[in-house]
Structure formats: structure tokens, C-alpha cells
Amino acid sequence: VIPGWFSEMSPMWPGEAHSLKVEKVLFQGKSDYQDVIVFQSATYGKVLVLDGVIQLTERDECAYQEMITHLPLCSIPNPKKVLVIGGGDGGVLREVARHASIEQIDMCEIDKMVVDVSKQFFPDVAIGYEDPRVNLVIGDGVAFLKNAAEGSYDAVIVDSSDPIGPAKELFEKPFFQSVARALRPGGVVCTQAESLWLHMDIIEDIVSNCREIFKGSVNYAWTSVPTYPSGVIGFMLCSTEGPDVDFKHPLNPIDESSSKSNGPLKFYNAEIHSAAFCLPSFAKKVIESK
Ligand code: PUT
């Protein structure tokens, strides 16, 4: 460990650690679920860390939040009712709110400290909470989905941390079954699905489970986030049986006027949407064989 630097170490990426120079630690706390740290970095702005793992930096959060949100929401016409599981920093809410057709955004986040710290230190991300369509529930996402009315959502977005710690169950088969139950026919889910370079074993399991559960289409997409392990992160995008969803060809453009309230889009566009589904050969072979 180099003094004055944060190094991200985890059994999920053994033998490597991305490091950022720390200018100042702004917050350190322990919630009921995890250690929470915010620091000012020398090169990526403020950084939110949970249990030693980077969740967002001010400089590159756009790549993750915009893609996890607009890949599903730009793939269906007129999404009205969306559920966000996790996503306590509020960035996904900020992005969902750009879609004028949205009437209701339910969100279930387990850790109130993540919400509070994000509002205090990341106002440009937590601005998502200011949208009047948002209903925030602090609680367990697994239980929330089990109790959700059948067929009630157009889209579910699962913005989770890694599958060790509080988010473990969000990567397991029963959770995906609850998601499918809560979606309307032809509804879509997008879940955080780790790195092609580090986690093909996890991705294989998710893909197998999703192929069994989602009878519409099942796809893997990915994006570049320099401060996530290996510099990339992926998403599992699935639809339930019903009207066909062609994830690779976006049909629902984002309302331009949302830039006034929620800031400009920095990463997402229709070309990068389609490109996100192009996979390197080693991953294509595995994912398509499942
Ligand atoms: N919300 C995504 C976090 C990923 C951390 N590795």
C-alpha cells in the first residue's frame, strides 16, 4: 500500500489493484451494511467507495449511469413505470428522469447512508432524487421485488455493487425470477454484469439463468469505465415474452430538453448503444453457447 494512494483490492480481481492518488478524505463511516468512504482524488474528482471498492468517480460516472439506463429505456417505446434496485447515489434516477414518457420511478436501496452521503458530496449525481416522479424506499431489493405486483413495470434497472456483500443475492436465479414476474409482457431488465476480462464465470452463470427465465431476448453489452476493475463493465439486458425488443437498435430517443435540468448527456448516443452489443470473440463464443 502506497501512502497517500487508494488501491482497490478484492478477491474478485486477485493480483491487481487500480490506484488513485488521494488529496483528501472527505467522509468515512460504517453503515449497517458496509464501510463508506468519500475522497477527493487528484485526477478523477470525488470518489465514492463501498467496502473498499470504487462505486463512482465524478469524472467517469457518466459512462456507467447513462449506459445502464439508456440501453434498456431507449430500446422500448414510451416507458412509463420503472423500478431501480440499488443505485443509491441517484445517478440512474437522474438518467431515467430524462425520458419524458416516464410517469413513476420506484427505487429500492438498502443503505440509507449511501443516499445521504451522495446527496452531501455528489449533488450533480444525486440530483436524480429531486425529480417528483421518484418514490424512494430504503429496504431490501430482493424482498421489494417479491412483493411487487405481477407485470407492473416496463423496465427494471439493477444498479448493484459486486456479488460479495449486500448485493450477493442480486446475481442469483431467484432474484431474476422475481424481476421477470414484476415486468409486463415485453418489459426489459438491465443489470450490472461485471467485467468480460475478469468475470466470465459470473457472466456465464447470469446468462444461463437469464436464458431459462426470460423468454424474449437475452443480450450482453458493455462499456468503458476507467476506474472500474479492468476498465470495463457489462450489462445483462433481457426482455420478457411479449412484444419483441431489439436491444441493438434503439428506437426511443432521449428528450433533448432534459439537459437543462439534469445536465448534458456526456457518453450515451445511438451509435455507442448499438456498438455496446459487439463482443470480443472469446466472450461471444461463451455467451452465445449458453
Ligand atoms: N455499481 C457498479 C459498481 C461496480 C463496482 N465494481
Side-chain angles (χ1 to χ4, degrees), residues 53-55 64 159-160 162 192 228-229 233:
V53 175
I54 294 174
Q55 302 301 312
Y64 177 77
D159 174 11
S160 71
D162 299 318
Q192 192 270 92
Y228 282 167
I233 196 156

Side-chain angles (χ1 to χ4, degrees), residues 4 12 19 39 65 115 127 172 204 206 220 230 245 257 290:
M12 283 194 63
S19 301
F39 69 86
Q65 322 270 21
V115 176
I127 190 174
E172 292 170 358
E204 273 188 74
I206 302 176
Y220 189 86
S230 80
V245 179
S257 69
K290 286 282 135 197

Side-chain angles (χ1 to χ4, degrees), residues 34-98:
Q34 53 208 342
D35 292 324
V36 181
I37 296 178
V38 178
F39 69 86
Q40 179 69 48
S41 70
T43 49
Y44 277 83
K46 280 180 257 167
V47 182
L48 173 66
V49 177
L50 300 179
D51 278 346
V53 175
I54 294 174
Q55 302 301 312
L56 69 84
T57 81
E58 286 181 310
R59 181 166 154 196
D60 64 7
E61 56 89 14
C62 57
Y64 177 77
Q65 322 270 21
E66 291 181 19
M67 292 296 269
I68 197 172
T69 307
H70 303 308
L71 289 177
L73 295 189
C74 292
S75 297
I76 52 173
N78 293 313
K80 289 190 171 63
K81 201 173 159 191
V82 175
L83 171 63
V84 181
I85 299 288
D89 54 64
V92 170
L93 297 178
R94 177 192 69 199
E95 296 307 316
V96 175
R98 290 186 196 277

